[in-house]
Amino acid sequence: MGEKVDAGGIDLSDRQEYREKLRTCLQGLERLLAEERFDRPRNLMGLEIELNLAGADGMPRMMNAEVLERIASKDFQTELGMFNLEVNIAPHRLGDRVLDQLAEELRAGLSYAHRKAQEVNAGIVMIGILPTLERHDLVSANLSDVDRYTLLNDSMVAARGEDFVLDIEGVERLRSTSGSIAPEAACTSVQLHLQVTPSRFADVWNAAQAVTGPQIAVGANSPFLFGRELWSESRPPLFTQATDVRPPELAAQGVRPRTWFGERWVSSAYELFEENVRYFPPLLPICDEEDPLEVLDAGGVPSLSELVLHNGTVYRWNRPVYDIADGVPHLRVENRVLPAGPTVTDVVANAAFYYGLVRALAEESRPVWTRMPFETAAANFDAACRHGIDAEFEWPRRGRSGGLAKVPAVDLVREELLPLAAAGLDAWGVAPADRDLYLGVIAERCRRRVNGASWQRATFRRALAEGLEREDALAATTRRYAELMHAGEPVHTWSIGLGGHR
């Protein structure tokens, strides 16, 4: 959403001016693509992780400003809620020992941040949804004190015109309303960036869309919200509903929600940016002075800041990104599917699986998206969110027979996708030791049918069976999770239960 947005009054003419500016930005993007002005391949990837702050009791701490002041690093930034932080890892070139290097940097950064948080009786918890969050935690008073969040909240509340409704039916059912977008802050994610050339963008984006289901099946880590046991990965339904500015009548008409899987495979990056402008009204109609076409005429590179800002308010699970580095524009696919955690090793394993898989799938002679309807990819994503490691998918049959077959997620990953991911990592030039270590983590999750969500659920249920009340069981599960997260062994090795700690 941009580094800085100044809150202030927005009048009716601002939206019309902004809409015109968005169209001009699209023309600028179209010219940049036609003139082949984009950066050449550099195999660059980037990583962002959203984090929770919780005390030794497992309860959320609304103190990101104090913690960030102590961390005092530009790598750590605010996120939507006062109990959130985000850590950004500098771009790395895919190849050699990059995965181990990422793990080392993440461990060092998170360990430092955790020590600093402990100075104010808080701590870092890397998890999809903090199980101890309650309704009173997710209110507008607990949004981070940053202008862009205030303005975004005000704009989304005004656009909806009534309370946001949360209604998620999983193992149990959650029904709740909110007068703000604060429930969105419960969703803490990993964002995986991959810089791509315009000619490769569509293949990579389509591949990323196709594998959202398998990503969630092996990586789900968000089964609880407001004391209810919901989906294995409850972030997507929560995020969709917490950002849904459509009143029910517009939803009934088929108006698209701002959190969106999409509705078709694409053939260019431009299509996604154009769809975002065509389908979604501006939420932050703030214009700058730049005329993108004048900048292009003068041989410069336009920032396209209005398009970038607008793009940041459309929450695709795989988002197109336009950015400039060292004066040269580039495109990225931002994969936003995965929850945070459970451990650094698990996060890097999820990244290895993703980067290897999209490379291999994007280079297939008969790509998976030419053999599978887009609606099937969306249905697989939904099935994975609901059922996690126990999901079943529709997936193209191998060989000449064609068609789709129903297959358990763990079998698909072990038998077909992990070998593809290994080949993709080889194509990136990743060292075999890194490839085998981190893909081996995914293989073991499948063999044992364990991920973060299944561990949380099993441990919570055991705590209940041992006589703890529901709130105490969630808090004890969170404390044990945090202990094991900081110990660092991957989640498939964790023993079920509280380990003698309550």
XYZ file of all heavy atoms in Angstrom, residues 333-420:
681
model
N 5.771 -11.670 -8.994
C 4.604 -12.391 -8.494
C 4.765 -12.473 -6.982
O 5.787 -12.953 -6.481
C 4.497 -13.790 -9.109
C 3.362 -14.579 -8.456
C 4.285 -13.706 -10.612
N 3.757 -11.980 -6.253
C 3.765 -12.036 -4.792
C 2.785 -13.125 -4.356
O 1.572 -12.969 -4.475
C 3.366 -10.692 -4.180
C 3.372 -10.716 -2.657
C 2.738 -9.474 -2.043
O 2.121 -8.678 -2.790
O 2.846 -9.307 -0.819
N 3.311 -14.220 -3.853
C 2.503 -15.329 -3.374
C 2.138 -15.079 -1.920
O 3.002 -14.986 -1.054
C 3.308 -16.635 -3.528
C 2.576 -17.855 -3.022
O 2.820 -18.315 -1.913
N 1.673 -18.400 -3.829
N 0.819 -14.970 -1.643
C 0.337 -14.535 -0.328
C -0.483 -15.631 0.368
O -1.253 -15.373 1.275
C -0.550 -13.295 -0.511
C 0.154 -12.140 -1.198
C -0.823 -11.148 -1.821
N -1.889 -10.776 -0.914
C -1.759 -9.903 0.094
N -0.587 -9.317 0.304
N -2.778 -9.612 0.873
N -0.291 -16.854 -0.066
C -1.146 -17.960 0.328
C -0.839 -18.473 1.731
O -1.740 -18.838 2.487
C -0.984 -19.110 -0.703
C -1.640 -20.383 -0.224
C -1.546 -18.672 -2.046
N 0.437 -18.523 2.089
C 0.865 -19.287 3.259
C 0.696 -18.535 4.572
O 0.929 -17.324 4.639
C 2.337 -19.677 3.108
C 2.629 -20.726 2.039
C 4.113 -20.737 1.710
C 2.167 -22.108 2.498
N 0.352 -19.253 5.637
C 0.394 -18.656 6.977
C 1.821 -18.568 7.468
O 2.717 -19.265 6.964
C -0.392 -19.674 7.814
C -0.100 -20.985 7.145
C -0.040 -20.669 5.663
N 2.051 -17.733 8.455
C 3.355 -17.690 9.108
C 3.569 -18.964 9.912
O 2.617 -19.605 10.352
C 3.433 -16.476 10.029
N 4.857 -19.345 10.083
C 5.245 -20.417 10.965
C 5.158 -21.800 10.326
O 5.007 -21.924 9.117
N 5.245 -22.848 11.157
C 5.483 -22.813 12.597
C 6.911 -22.418 13.010
O 7.088 -21.710 13.988
C 5.181 -24.251 13.053
C 4.291 -24.822 12.005
C 4.777 -24.192 10.727
N 7.932 -22.895 12.275
C 9.320 -22.572 12.618
C 10.004 -21.998 11.397
O 9.477 -22.060 10.283
C 10.094 -23.830 13.055
O 10.225 -24.703 11.922
C 9.403 -24.555 14.199
N 11.209 -21.484 11.605
C 11.987 -20.986 10.470
C 12.227 -22.103 9.460
O 12.100 -21.903 8.244
C 13.317 -20.375 10.959
C 14.265 -20.136 9.783
C 13.067 -19.075 11.706
N 12.570 -23.287 9.947
C 12.793 -24.412 9.033
C 11.550 -24.698 8.207
O 11.629 -24.941 6.993
C 13.202 -25.665 9.817
O 14.444 -25.404 10.485
C 13.374 -26.867 8.902
N 10.378 -24.656 8.829
C 9.127 -24.895 8.101
C 8.859 -23.809 7.069
O 8.411 -24.101 5.955
C 7.959 -24.980 9.085
C 7.974 -26.254 9.906
O 7.945 -27.338 9.310
O 8.034 -26.156 11.144
N 9.106 -22.554 7.431
C 8.891 -21.450 6.491
C 9.789 -21.615 5.263
O 9.348 -21.456 4.114
C 9.147 -20.095 7.176
C 9.236 -18.964 6.158
C 8.050 -19.793 8.196
N 11.069 -21.937 5.501
C 12.005 -22.090 4.380
C 11.655 -23.330 3.561
O 11.782 -23.330 2.330
C 13.457 -22.115 4.885
C 14.433 -22.355 3.735
C 13.798 -20.786 5.577
N 11.169 -24.387 4.206
C 10.725 -25.565 3.464
C 9.541 -25.217 2.565
O 9.491 -25.641 1.394
C 10.346 -26.680 4.438
N 8.583 -24.458 3.092
C 7.449 -24.018 2.274
C 7.920 -23.192 1.087
O 7.389 -23.311 -0.021
C 6.477 -23.195 3.116
C 5.725 -24.016 4.145
O 5.636 -25.233 4.043
N 5.182 -23.346 5.158
N 8.911 -22.333 1.316
C 9.458 -21.507 0.234
C 10.152 -22.373 -0.807
O 9.990 -22.166 -2.021
C 10.418 -20.469 0.803
N 10.931 -23.350 -0.360
C 11.630 -24.242 -1.293
C 10.631 -24.992 -2.173
O 10.825 -25.120 -3.392
C 12.497 -25.227 -0.516
N 9.581 -25.495 -1.562
C 8.538 -26.215 -2.295
C 7.909 -25.306 -3.342
O 7.750 -25.689 -4.514
C 7.499 -26.712 -1.293
C 6.383 -27.530 -1.884
C 6.646 -28.653 -2.645
C 5.055 -27.179 -1.650
C 5.609 -29.425 -3.177
C 4.010 -27.938 -2.169
C 4.288 -29.056 -2.941
N 7.589 -24.068 -2.957
C 6.945 -23.137 -3.878
C 7.867 -22.746 -5.026
O 7.490 -22.853 -6.208
C 6.495 -21.889 -3.123
C 6.046 -20.759 -4.018
C 4.821 -20.799 -4.670
C 6.861 -19.643 -4.234
C 4.407 -19.769 -5.501
C 6.458 -18.611 -5.056
C 5.235 -18.678 -5.702
O 4.846 -17.657 -6.517
N 9.083 -22.284 -4.703
C 9.970 -21.792 -5.767
C 10.373 -22.906 -6.723
O 10.471 -22.696 -7.939
C 11.209 -21.129 -5.166
C 10.925 -19.780 -4.545
C 11.180 -19.544 -3.199
C 10.404 -18.736 -5.300
C 10.922 -18.306 -2.618
C 10.133 -17.503 -4.736
C 10.395 -17.292 -3.395
O 10.129 -16.063 -2.824
N 10.593 -24.105 -6.202
C 10.917 -25.210 -7.084
C 9.749 -25.599 -7.964
O 9.900 -25.834 -9.173
N 8.562 -25.648 -7.367
C 7.383 -26.106 -8.086
C 6.971 -25.144 -9.192
O 6.671 -25.574 -10.323
C 6.244 -26.309 -7.085
C 5.033 -27.141 -7.495
C 5.445 -28.459 -8.125
C 4.151 -27.370 -6.271
N 6.956 -23.843 -8.905
C 6.517 -22.912 -9.959
C 7.523 -22.866 -11.102
O 7.138 -22.717 -12.263
C 6.230 -21.483 -9.422
C 5.040 -21.478 -8.497
C 7.433 -20.856 -8.769
N 8.808 -23.034 -10.778
C 9.801 -23.066 -11.867
C 9.540 -24.270 -12.774
O 9.516 -24.139 -14.004
C 11.210 -23.150 -11.270
C 12.349 -23.400 -12.274
C 12.656 -22.178 -13.122
N 13.654 -22.441 -14.144
C 14.907 -21.989 -14.114
N 15.323 -21.250 -13.095
N 15.739 -22.253 -15.095
N 9.336 -25.436 -12.178
C 9.127 -26.641 -12.983
C 7.817 -26.579 -13.766
O 7.782 -26.902 -14.970
C 9.150 -27.869 -12.083
N 6.748 -26.158 -13.115
C 5.449 -26.121 -13.790
C 5.415 -25.078 -14.902
O 4.778 -25.285 -15.941
C 4.339 -25.850 -12.777
C 4.044 -26.979 -11.787
C 2.961 -26.545 -10.802
C 3.614 -28.250 -12.506
N 6.081 -23.936 -14.679
C 6.075 -22.871 -15.691
C 6.822 -23.278 -16.955
O 6.597 -22.694 -18.019
C 6.692 -21.596 -15.113
N 7.683 -24.287 -16.846
C 8.495 -24.685 -17.998
C 8.016 -25.984 -18.650
O 8.638 -26.466 -19.591
C 9.963 -24.813 -17.568
C 10.556 -23.466 -17.155
C 12.018 -23.551 -16.755
O 12.542 -24.686 -16.631
O 12.633 -22.485 -16.579
N 6.901 -26.540 -18.140
C 6.392 -27.777 -18.751
C 5.889 -27.518 -20.167
O 5.341 -26.451 -20.459
C 5.258 -28.355 -17.896
C 5.747 -29.072 -16.656
C 4.632 -29.868 -15.993
O 3.502 -29.361 -15.890
O 4.902 -31.000 -15.582
N 6.021 -28.531 -21.013
C 5.555 -28.379 -22.395
C 4.025 -28.363 -22.472
O 3.446 -27.701 -23.332
C 6.115 -29.507 -23.270
O 5.738 -30.769 -22.741
N 3.371 -29.101 -21.565
C 1.905 -29.047 -21.463
C 1.571 -28.591 -20.045
O 1.319 -29.410 -19.156
C 1.286 -30.424 -21.740
C 1.360 -30.866 -23.187
C 0.642 -32.196 -23.373
N -0.785 -32.077 -23.099
C -1.474 -32.968 -22.386
N -0.870 -34.009 -21.832
N -2.780 -32.815 -22.196
N 1.572 -27.295 -19.815
C 1.413 -26.789 -18.443
C 0.116 -27.254 -17.812
O -0.890 -27.495 -18.489
C 1.422 -25.271 -18.632
C 2.091 -25.034 -19.941
C 1.743 -26.209 -20.791
N 0.156 -27.365 -16.488
C -0.998 -27.885 -15.754
C -2.247 -27.036 -15.991
O -3.362 -27.567 -16.045
C -0.656 -27.991 -14.241
C -0.408 -26.624 -13.624
C -1.753 -28.722 -13.492
N -2.071 -25.730 -16.197
C -3.256 -24.880 -16.376
C -3.902 -25.052 -17.751
O -5.013 -24.589 -17.961
C -2.938 -23.406 -16.103
C -1.837 -22.833 -16.941
C -1.947 -22.202 -18.149
C -0.443 -22.828 -16.634
N -0.725 -21.810 -18.610
C 0.221 -22.174 -17.699
C 0.307 -23.305 -15.565
C 1.611 -22.004 -17.712
C 1.681 -23.126 -15.575
C 2.315 -22.488 -16.637
N -3.227 -25.706 -18.670
C -3.881 -26.035 -19.945
C -4.670 -27.343 -19.833
O -5.420 -27.688 -20.733
C -2.852 -26.174 -21.081
O -2.006 -27.314 -20.826
C -2.003 -24.916 -21.203
N -4.507 -28.048 -18.702
C -5.155 -29.342 -18.510
C -6.135 -29.343 -17.338
O -6.714 -30.375 -17.020
C -4.083 -30.421 -18.287
C -3.146 -30.594 -19.471
C -2.081 -31.643 -19.219
N -1.043 -31.189 -18.314
C -0.604 -31.879 -17.264
N -1.157 -33.037 -16.953
N 0.367 -31.406 -16.508
N -6.307 -28.189 -16.707
C -7.167 -28.108 -15.528
C -7.963 -26.813 -15.579
O -7.395 -25.732 -15.734
C -6.293 -28.134 -14.264
C -7.075 -28.018 -12.967
S -6.060 -28.384 -11.495
C -4.969 -26.962 -11.448
N -9.286 -26.866 -15.446
C -10.073 -25.629 -15.424
C -9.665 -24.746 -14.245
O -9.286 -25.248 -13.175
C -11.510 -26.123 -15.253
C -11.502 -27.553 -15.686
C -10.136 -28.073 -15.349
N -9.748 -23.445 -14.436
C -9.408 -22.511 -13.360
C -10.276 -22.772 -12.131
O -9.796 -22.697 -10.994
C -9.598 -21.067 -13.843
C -9.048 -20.042 -12.900
C -7.731 -19.629 -12.990
C -9.846 -19.477 -11.907
C -7.211 -18.685 -12.113
C -9.336 -18.538 -11.034
C -8.012 -18.138 -11.133
N -11.559 -23.088 -12.363
C -12.468 -23.352 -11.252
C -11.998 -24.524 -10.401
O -12.251 -24.577 -9.190
C -13.881 -23.637 -11.786
C -14.545 -22.464 -12.493
C -13.985 -22.193 -13.881
O -13.337 -23.105 -14.466
O -14.184 -21.062 -14.383
N -11.293 -25.467 -11.015
C -10.767 -26.609 -10.263
C -9.646 -26.166 -9.334
O -9.559 -26.624 -8.185
C -10.265 -27.701 -11.224
O -11.343 -28.110 -12.068
C -9.727 -28.902 -10.474
N -8.786 -25.271 -9.814
C -7.720 -24.738 -8.947
C -8.325 -24.013 -7.755
O -7.845 -24.159 -6.618
C -6.812 -23.798 -9.741
N -9.393 -23.229 -7.999
C -10.062 -22.520 -6.908
C -10.692 -23.504 -5.931
O -10.631 -23.313 -4.703
C -11.120 -21.568 -7.466
N -11.291 -24.577 -6.438
C -11.912 -25.584 -5.572
C -10.858 -26.319 -4.751
O -11.075 -26.641 -3.576
C -12.719 -26.572 -6.411
N -9.691 -26.587 -5.349
C -8.596 -27.222 -4.603
C -8.117 -26.327 -3.470
O -7.812 -26.806 -2.363
C -7.433 -27.540 -5.545
C -7.717 -28.690 -6.494
O -8.648 -29.473 -6.288
N -6.925 -28.797 -7.544
N -8.018 -25.039 -3.734
C -7.617 -24.077 -2.702
C -8.606 -24.106 -1.544
O -8.224 -24.172 -0.372
C -7.543 -22.683 -3.335
C -7.193 -21.569 -2.380
C -6.028 -21.596 -1.640
C -8.033 -20.472 -2.240
C -5.698 -20.560 -0.770
C -7.719 -19.437 -1.380
C -6.543 -19.475 -0.643
N -9.892 -24.101 -1.871
C -10.924 -24.133 -0.842
C -10.848 -25.434 -0.043
O -10.927 -25.422 1.199
C -12.303 -23.990 -1.491
C -13.427 -23.933 -0.472
O -13.613 -22.861 0.140
O -14.105 -24.955 -0.281
N -10.677 -26.561 -0.724
C -10.591 -27.856 -0.039
C -9.389 -27.893 0.900
O -9.479 -28.421 2.023
C -10.500 -28.988 -1.063
N -8.263 -27.342 0.461
C -7.066 -27.327 1.298
C -7.273 -26.469 2.534
O -6.841 -26.833 3.636
C -5.871 -26.829 0.490
N -7.908 -25.302 2.358
C -8.161 -24.434 3.508
C -9.065 -25.139 4.529
O -8.840 -25.042 5.735
C -8.792 -23.122 3.063
S -7.685 -22.068 2.104
N -10.057 -25.852 4.051
C -10.977 -26.538 4.957
C -10.315 -27.730 5.655
O -10.454 -27.915 6.863
C -12.215 -27.023 4.191
C -13.130 -25.904 3.728
C -14.277 -26.459 2.889
N -15.099 -25.385 2.335
C -16.132 -24.816 2.955
N -16.469 -25.229 4.163
N -16.811 -23.851 2.380
N -9.606 -28.546 4.889
C -9.191 -29.857 5.384
C -7.679 -30.007 5.578
O -7.247 -31.025 6.133
C -9.693 -30.943 4.438
C -11.173 -30.889 4.201
N -12.099 -31.077 5.215
C -11.894 -30.622 3.080
C -13.318 -30.961 4.715
N -13.226 -30.679 3.435
N -6.883 -29.061 5.108
C -5.450 -29.102 5.346
C -4.790 -30.357 4.809
O -5.003 -30.754 3.661
N -4.013 -31.015 5.645
C -3.226 -32.178 5.226
C -4.114 -33.341 4.793
O -3.669 -34.247 4.088
C -2.270 -32.604 6.373
C -1.090 -33.428 5.848
C -3.010 -33.318 7.484
C 0.010 -32.628 5.243
N -5.392 -33.330 5.174
C -6.325 -34.396 4.814
C -7.153 -34.070 3.572
O -8.090 -34.814 3.240
C -7.271 -34.688 5.988
C -6.525 -35.214 7.205
O -5.602 -36.031 7.026
O -6.841 -34.776 8.330
N -6.828 -32.982 2.876
C -7.600 -32.568 1.693
C -7.451 -33.578 0.554
O -6.464 -34.316 0.462
C -7.149 -31.183 1.235
N -8.442 -33.562 -0.325
C -8.359 -34.271 -1.598
C -8.535 -33.250 -2.719
O -9.334 -32.317 -2.595
C -9.431 -35.357 -1.697
C -9.210 -36.526 -0.767
C -10.138 -37.686 -1.080
O -11.203 -37.451 -1.697
O -9.778 -38.819 -0.730
N -7.806 -33.465 -3.811
C -7.828 -32.522 -4.932
C -8.273 -33.217 -6.202
O -8.135 -34.432 -6.364
C -6.425 -31.947 -5.186
C -5.856 -31.152 -4.048
C -4.489 -31.200 -3.780
C -6.657 -30.361 -3.241
C -3.949 -30.468 -2.742
C -6.120 -29.629 -2.198
C -4.764 -29.689 -1.948
N -8.772 -32.403 -7.131
C -8.901 -32.815 -8.527
C -7.623 -32.356 -9.233
O -7.256 -31.180 -9.150
C -10.124 -32.157 -9.172
C -11.456 -32.592 -8.586
C -11.922 -33.925 -9.139
O -11.465 -34.313 -10.228
O -12.733 -34.586 -8.468
N -6.951 -33.291 -9.924
C -5.664 -32.952 -10.548
C -5.546 -33.686 -11.874
O -6.053 -34.811 -12.007
C -4.514 -33.345 -9.620
C -3.222 -32.662 -9.971
C -2.188 -33.184 -10.703
C -2.832 -31.331 -9.632
N -1.186 -32.257 -10.826
C -1.556 -31.111 -10.179
C -3.452 -30.308 -8.903
C -0.877 -29.903 -10.030
C -2.771 -29.109 -8.757
C -1.505 -28.906 -9.310
N -4.919 -33.073 -12.887
C -4.801 -33.744 -14.187
C -4.070 -35.089 -14.077
O -3.044 -35.206 -13.398
C -3.985 -32.749 -15.024
C -4.233 -31.428 -14.386
C -4.348 -31.713 -12.914
N -4.624 -36.098 -14.747
C -3.958 -37.404 -14.792
C -2.667 -37.294 -15.596
O -2.579 -36.562 -16.580
C -4.858 -38.437 -15.473
C -6.064 -38.859 -14.659
C -6.770 -40.024 -15.352
N -7.936 -40.459 -14.585
C -9.154 -39.985 -14.752
N -9.367 -39.054 -15.680
N -10.160 -40.426 -14.021
N -1.698 -38.067 -15.162
C -0.468 -38.144 -15.941
C -0.683 -39.049 -17.152
O -1.543 -39.937 -17.135
C 0.669 -38.683 -15.072
C 1.183 -37.641 -14.085
C 2.403 -38.130 -13.336
N 2.026 -38.916 -12.167
C 2.899 -39.349 -11.273
N 4.180 -39.085 -11.408
N 2.497 -40.055 -10.225
N 0.093 -38.819 -18.169
C -0.015 -39.659 -19.362
C -0.968 -39.068 -20.385
O -1.455 -37.945 -20.262
N -1.259 -39.854 -21.390
C -2.023 -39.363 -22.538
C -3.528 -39.426 -22.333
O -4.284 -38.834 -23.096
C -1.657 -40.177 -23.790
C -0.213 -39.988 -24.219
C 0.060 -40.745 -25.514
N 1.397 -40.481 -26.004
C 1.724 -39.431 -26.742
N 0.786 -38.558 -27.063
N 2.954 -39.253 -27.154
N -3.975 -40.143 -21.297
C -5.421 -40.330 -21.135
C -6.147 -39.029 -20.844
O -7.293 -38.834 -21.245
C -5.705 -41.340 -20.027
O -5.123 -40.910 -18.809
N -5.472 -38.116 -20.148
C -6.064 -36.816 -19.860
C -7.162 -36.894 -18.819
O -7.395 -37.914 -18.183
N -7.843 -35.767 -18.625
C -8.905 -35.694 -17.639
C -8.366 -35.457 -16.247
O -7.152 -35.334 -16.029
N -9.287 -35.377 -15.310
C -8.936 -35.105 -13.918
C -9.199 -36.341 -13.075
O -10.118 -37.110 -13.337
C -9.754 -33.926 -13.377
C -9.593 -32.582 -14.086
C -10.594 -31.569 -13.517
C -8.179 -32.047 -13.947
N -8.396 -36.506 -12.047
C -8.598 -37.593 -11.094
C -8.616 -37.017 -9.694
O -7.940 -36.017 -9.404
C -7.487 -38.626 -11.221
N -9.383 -37.636 -8.790
C -9.406 -37.225 -7.395
C -8.248 -37.914 -6.682
O -8.083 -39.144 -6.800
C -10.737 -37.594 -6.747
C -10.969 -36.881 -5.436
C -12.464 -36.756 -5.138
C -12.665 -35.811 -3.973
N -13.543 -34.721 -4.250
N -7.458 -37.148 -5.940
C -6.255 -37.706 -5.321
C -6.043 -37.052 -3.957
O -6.219 -35.838 -3.815
C -5.026 -37.498 -6.246
C -4.816 -36.028 -6.569
C -3.768 -38.085 -5.645
N -5.681 -37.835 -2.931
C -5.332 -37.223 -1.645
C -4.159 -36.269 -1.802
O -3.192 -36.560 -2.537
C -4.958 -38.427 -0.771
C -5.656 -39.596 -1.398
C -5.646 -39.307 -2.871
N -4.222 -35.134 -1.119
C -3.165 -34.120 -1.236
C -1.800 -34.705 -0.935
O -0.817 -34.419 -1.633
C -3.472 -32.955 -0.302
N -1.695 -35.540 0.119
C -0.378 -36.057 0.506
C 0.202 -36.948 -0.589
O 1.418 -36.950 -0.820
C -0.441 -36.808 1.854
C -0.698 -35.829 2.994
C -1.478 -37.915 1.844
N -0.656 -37.709 -1.289
C -0.163 -38.557 -2.376
C 0.284 -37.710 -3.562
O 1.325 -37.984 -4.178
C -1.246 -39.542 -2.817
C -1.571 -40.573 -1.750
O -0.776 -40.702 -0.788
O -2.622 -41.239 -1.862
N -0.514 -36.697 -3.899
C -0.135 -35.818 -5.003
C 1.207 -35.154 -4.727
O 2.093 -35.104 -5.595
C -1.210 -34.753 -5.222
C -0.889 -33.703 -6.296
C -0.876 -34.334 -7.679
C -1.892 -32.548 -6.241
N 1.381 -34.637 -3.523
C 2.622 -33.938 -3.188
C 3.802 -34.903 -3.236
O 4.831 -34.621 -3.856
C 2.508 -33.260 -1.804
C 3.864 -32.714 -1.357
C 1.481 -32.128 -1.852
N 3.672 -36.058 -2.595
C 4.808 -36.983 -2.519
C 5.170 -37.576 -3.879
O 6.348 -37.673 -4.223
C 4.492 -38.124 -1.540
C 4.710 -37.746 -0.092
C 4.730 -38.963 0.814
N 3.456 -39.670 0.817
C 3.161 -40.654 1.653
N 4.053 -41.049 2.540
N 1.983 -41.248 1.606
N 4.151 -37.980 -4.635
C 4.416 -38.747 -5.846
C 4.692 -37.886 -7.071
O 5.426 -38.309 -7.973
C 3.243 -39.686 -6.118
C 3.066 -40.741 -5.034
C 1.747 -41.494 -5.141
O 1.079 -41.367 -6.199
O 1.372 -42.181 -4.167
N 4.094 -36.700 -7.115
C 4.218 -35.897 -8.334
C 4.861 -34.531 -8.102
O 5.757 -34.119 -8.860
C 2.833 -35.709 -8.969
C 2.867 -35.019 -10.324
C 1.525 -35.075 -11.044
O 0.648 -35.878 -10.663
O 1.349 -34.290 -12.006
N 4.432 -33.821 -7.051
C 4.865 -32.426 -6.918
C 6.252 -32.286 -6.297
O 7.016 -31.392 -6.687
C 3.831 -31.632 -6.108
C 2.417 -31.609 -6.704
C 1.523 -30.671 -5.896
C 2.427 -31.208 -8.169
N 6.606 -33.118 -5.344
C 7.953 -33.017 -4.772
C 9.046 -33.320 -5.799
O 10.052 -32.594 -5.846
C 8.088 -33.902 -3.539
C 7.582 -33.287 -2.230
C 7.573 -34.322 -1.115
C 8.411 -32.065 -1.820
N 8.903 -34.347 -6.640
C 9.908 -34.518 -7.699
C 9.993 -33.314 -8.643
O 11.092 -32.930 -9.071
C 9.433 -35.777 -8.440
C 8.655 -36.539 -7.414
C 7.965 -35.490 -6.581
N 8.838 -32.710 -8.954
C 8.862 -31.496 -9.777
C 9.570 -30.360 -9.059
O 10.385 -29.632 -9.662
C 7.430 -31.071 -10.130
C 6.732 -31.839 -11.250
C 5.248 -31.480 -11.282
C 7.385 -31.551 -12.594
